[in-house]
Amino acid sequence: MVGDKARGEMNAFQRNESKETLFTFISAGDDPPKGDFPLQKKSPKLCGSNYPLSIAFIVVNEFCERFSYYGMRAVLTLYFLSFFHWDENLSTAVYHAFSALCYFTPVIGAIMADSWLGKYKTIIYLSIVYVVGHLIKSVGAIPSLGNQAVHVVLSMVGLFLIALGTGGIKPCVSAFGGDQFEEEHTSERSKFFSIFGVSRCNDLLLFLTSFSGDVKCFGEDCYALAFGVPAALMVLALVVFIAGSGLYRKTPPQGNVLLEVCKCIGFAIKNRLKNRSREIPKRDHWLDWASEKYSKQLIGEVKMVTRVLFLFIPLPMFWALFDQQGSRWTLQATKMNADFFLNPLLILVFIPIFDLGLYPLINMCKLNFTPIRKMATGMILAGLAFGLAAVIEVKINETDMPRLVPKESLIRVLNLAKNPVQVTIQDKDLFQQPVESFQNPAEYSKLILNGEQQSLHFTLQHQGLTLVFNYTVKEKSVYSLIVFEAEGSLSSRLITDLEAKPENGLAAVRFINGLSQDVNLTIDSKRFIAAQKNYSASEYSLLERDIYNNGKCITETGEFPLELGLLDFGASYTVVITNISGGTVEMWKSEDIKANNVHMAWQLPQYLLISAGEVMFSITGLAFSYSQSPASMKSVLQAGWLLTVAVGNTFVLIVAEAAPMAQWAEFVLFTVLLFAVCIIFSIMGYFYVSVDPEDLEEKEEKRETSSRGNMIGLVTQKTKL
């Protein structure tokens, strides 16, 4: 009787214990928890190794998906600028809103996979959504399809579906790859996750796909093709993934650990608020207030995770800087001299250099270069990169047109007469010296008006003659006063110039026809420009940077070759046709707005710095957070890590829209903020005590075993009495 009673109490204890210990989860990228699972068939091995053949399909799928995503994103900002004609701040804001959404949606994908569909079906269904988003995005980039509103709506719908697709499958693909390994092949599984995490080659993909917008179709930049190629790659990714279906090990949904952790934290906070009386004993940790409902094992694991998540709080600032490579830095590049070929493979070399060279060298010097110190160093490198970006932006601005405020305009004089001309403007102290004939124009002079517009008297003195012309000048406008000889006298025209540099590194050119007959001009086989006689000015034409020596000038008397020479990045030119003699066109070319004189090679140091910072920050951060979490909680940390990227992009969105400022000042702001956050993170890391989850689990098991033994002993002693 006594023995049966003791055994009954022991069995009751064991039954209660099983309710706690069997409540485990499968997490993204981890060893599956031990327990009873449906028998899975063994997958064929890859080339005689312990790697399942099914892994090959998953890796190819991931490569195509990443290429698809980064290929689309590489031209997204330029698409907003040149296709929608949005300004830089709006383009940047929408770009980062899309990026943030891509890193919020993984939470949706994780819940779908773990609680409802399983990883395999979630990847299939969301990949279909992904493909549909790409197709809608490509259709929305066809110029002839609808008006601007239709293009914007289709593009935004496409981007939303892409964000849902790429974010939703993000936490599933790597975890599904981990499920393919058998229990005894843990070493191969660990290597798979390490390779899988660093095999995206973002910079290379950005480089390879950034030229898609250079292709022409529908009469302009072929963004439909630029988005269509990533769509085709995503279709290929989906086909490859489905092709391996017969080889996959497919585990059923086991419950969502992220959701359970949130419930545990919420219950602890709620229970603590209900028991605020001083008479109630305090508990060692605020999460211990969840012990009435949740197991000690789960509470202990959540404690480990919250310690690491607390360190994640400053991290979004790094991503706020890092992801601006695709927005602000891309915009900066469009204002530079782009006659440059950058081999991004140099950036990929950083990973083996750090892992095989720098880190071992530091260890040989017996320097305690902890993961937190590596991450802080990565922040510093990213901050230095943005500091360099600010310096380069200041140099770029030297060739920009001055920013005009109300009641301000700019003006210059182009003297196309044979002799010097003295120009005087009513009540304005400008043009002190005579303007020589065909003199290269000096910088624009600032004209202060007495209102939004003003009628002014322009006095011209030429060879003893004085002529007066009246012109109305508007604020925030740029003008050229053309002085020329007509019918034996002096005449003039006031024409409007460009107010800013041509966008996207293009060159602008216009023609002034000094002949007594109309002309038709061709710059290349696609550009036809009409210029009327007697010093009329044509409209501006935007061209890619090139040497244009194959043009034609067509007049009533014949067709003549037109050689313009180099039209450089970001420059604006006025070409005056003065005469036709000897079968050639005589002309004079002036540079109205200076070409981009800062070479794109100057961006190389900032890209190298931020790429080195990514290697030290991102890869180290992932490895550190994984090492500091229990096996069942790694999916929670993955979600937390992805959310730091989302929050960082959201911060850029807010700054771009709420606090518009000069670009160099914005770069300085981000630099200062990251350095400040780096100091805070370093202080937090100084007080962080590194733990080994396996050691804590072993201690917990020993403690539970000891307490279980004591309980059994007490029961036995009581029955003897």
Side-chain angles (χ1 to χ4, degrees), residues 187-249:
S187 175
E188 285 79 5
R189 181 190 287 125
S190 299
K191 292 179 181 178
F192 164 75
F193 286 124
S194 298
I195 297 171
F196 198 84
V198 299
S199 62
R200 293 175 296 171
C201 302
N202 302 358
D203 297 293
L204 179 59
L205 298 180
L206 284 170
F207 175 76
L208 292 175
T209 56
S210 60
F211 299 105
S212 301
D214 294 338
V215 182
K216 302 295 181 181
C217 63
F218 304 107
E220 52 187 277
D221 288 340
C222 196
Y223 286 103
L225 177 62
F227 296 133
V229 172
L233 283 168
M234 193 56 218
V235 172
L236 177 62
L238 179 58
V239 170
V240 169
F241 185 75
I242 294 176
S245 177
L247 301 173
Y248 297 142
R249 293 160 56 95

Side-chain angles (χ1 to χ4, degrees), residues 548-657:
Y548 293 89
N549 287 333
N550 297 319
K552 296 179 181 179
C553 178
I554 304 172
T555 69
E556 298 174 356
T557 58
E559 184 177 297
F560 306 93
L562 181 67
E563 298 182 358
L564 297 178
L566 176 65
L567 302 182
D568 212 347
F569 295 107
S572 174
Y573 300 93
T574 294
V575 178
V576 182
I577 300 175
T578 58
N579 196 10
I580 294 178
S581 63
T584 61
V585 177
E586 295 181 1
M587 61 184 186
W588 175 69
K589 183 174 73 173
S590 69
E591 189 178 53
D592 306 339
I593 300 177
K594 294 181 180 179
N596 301 340
N597 62 0
V598 179
H599 204 278
M600 194 178 285
W602 286 106
Q603 275 196 324
L604 179 59
Q606 69 194 52
Y607 272 102
L608 293 178
L609 281 173
I610 204 165
S611 298
E614 183 198 13
V615 172
M616 302 190 76
F617 180 88
S618 180
I619 297 176
T620 303
L622 277 173
F624 169 75
S625 59
Y626 269 55
S627 70
Q628 296 296 292
S629 64
S632 63
M633 293 289 163
K634 297 191 188 301
S635 62
V636 178
L637 281 177
Q638 184 181 27
W641 182 266
L642 295 175
L643 285 175
T644 63
V645 184
V647 174
N649 280 275
T650 303
F651 182 75
V652 179
L653 188 157
I654 294 172
V655 171
E657 285 299 301

Side-chain angles (χ1 to χ4, degrees), residues 81-144:
L81 280 172
S82 60
F83 194 82
F84 290 162
H85 303 291
W86 289 349
D87 61 34
E88 293 187 359
N89 285 335
L90 179 58
S91 300
T92 299
V94 176
Y95 174 90
H96 286 283
F98 167 72
S99 298
L101 186 60
C102 289
Y103 286 95
F104 278 121
T105 52
V107 176
I108 298 175
I111 293 175
M112 289 176 60
D114 292 344
S115 304
W116 179 27
L117 296 174
K119 300 182 187 71
Y120 176 75
K121 289 184 178 179
T122 300
I123 295 171
I124 295 293
Y125 295 157
L126 289 181
S127 293
I128 294 174
V129 172
Y130 201 161
V131 170
V132 172
H134 269 307
L135 293 177
I136 293 176
K137 187 77 182 70
S138 301
V139 172
I142 298 176
S144 59

Side-chain angles (χ1 to χ4, degrees), residues 134-356:
H134 269 307
L135 293 177
I136 293 176
K137 187 77 182 70
S138 301
V139 172
I142 298 176
S144 59
L145 185 67
N147 55 23
Q148 178 85 346
V150 173
H151 295 149
V152 172
V153 170
L154 289 176
S155 295
M156 294 304 105
V157 171
L159 287 176
F160 175 79
L161 295 178
I162 290 171
L164 181 60
T166 187
I169 68 175
K170 197 182 295 291
C172 301
V173 178
S174 60
F176 188 69
D179 292 344
Q180 306 310 305
F181 291 87
E182 297 168 12
E183 188 64 30
E184 61 268 21
H185 298 147
T186 55
S187 175
E188 285 79 5
R189 181 190 287 125
S190 299
K191 292 179 181 178
F192 164 75
F193 286 124
S194 298
I195 297 171
F196 198 84
V198 299
S199 62
R200 293 175 296 171
C201 302
N202 302 358
D203 297 293
L204 179 59
L205 298 180
L206 284 170
F207 175 76
L208 292 175
T209 56
S210 60
F211 299 105
S212 301
D214 294 338
V215 182
K216 302 295 181 181
C217 63
F218 304 107
E220 52 187 277
D221 288 340
C222 196
Y223 286 103
L225 177 62
F227 296 133
V229 172
L233 283 168
M234 193 56 218
V235 172
L236 177 62
L238 179 58
V239 170
V240 169
F241 185 75
I242 294 176
S245 177
L247 301 173
Y248 297 142
R249 293 160 56 95
K250 304 169 186 175
T251 56
Q254 300 294 322
N256 188 268
V257 63
L258 177 61
L259 188 60
E260 198 64 25
V261 169
C262 293
K263 288 181 179 179
C264 179
I265 294 174
F267 181 81
I269 296 173
K270 183 178 179 181
N271 197 27
R272 178 67 184 91
L273 294 176
K274 285 183 177 180
N275 298 277
R276 289 177 292 177
S277 175
R278 295 182 179 180
E279 298 177 359
I280 300 175
K282 293 183 178 180
R283 301 187 183 182
D284 294 336
H285 195 279
W286 64 272
L287 278 169
D288 290 334
W289 289 95
S291 59
E292 282 81 0
K293 184 176 181 180
Y294 295 92
S295 67
K296 292 181 179 179
Q297 178 182 344
L298 178 63
I299 293 173
E301 291 174 346
V302 175
K303 288 179 182 178
M304 298 182 210
V305 169
T306 53
R307 294 173 70 248
V308 181
L309 290 178
F310 179 70
L311 280 178
F312 282 3
I313 293 176
L315 303 190
M317 185 52 64
F318 175 88
W319 299 114
L321 275 69
F322 181 81
D323 276 353
Q324 289 188 60
Q325 293 178 85
S327 57
R328 292 303 198 194
W329 284 15
T330 298
L331 297 175
Q332 185 184 68
T334 64
K335 298 181 288 185
M336 302 177 74
N337 187 320
D339 186 20
F340 179 61
F341 181 80
L342 171 62
N343 185 356
L345 291 175
L346 293 174
I347 299 175
L348 300 181
V349 173
F350 272 124
I351 294 175
I353 285 179
F354 277 63
D355 288 342
L356 303 178

Side-chain angles (χ1 to χ4, degrees), residues 369 372-382 613 616-617 678 682:
F369 202 36
I372 290 179
R373 290 177 180 174
K374 291 179 183 177
M375 294 175 68
T377 304
M379 289 182 174
I380 294 173
L381 292 176
M616 302 190 76
F617 180 88
C678 180
S682 300

Side-chain angles (χ1 to χ4, degrees), residues 439-464:
Q439 174 182 320
N440 286 326
E443 294 183 355
Y444 285 90
S445 299
K446 187 173 294 185
L447 195 60
I448 307 299
L449 308 178
N450 58 14
E452 294 183 1
Q453 64 180 30
Q454 183 178 354
S455 180
L456 297 173
H457 301 295
F458 290 76
T459 303
L460 308 182
Q461 294 179 343
H462 176 256
Q463 291 186 324

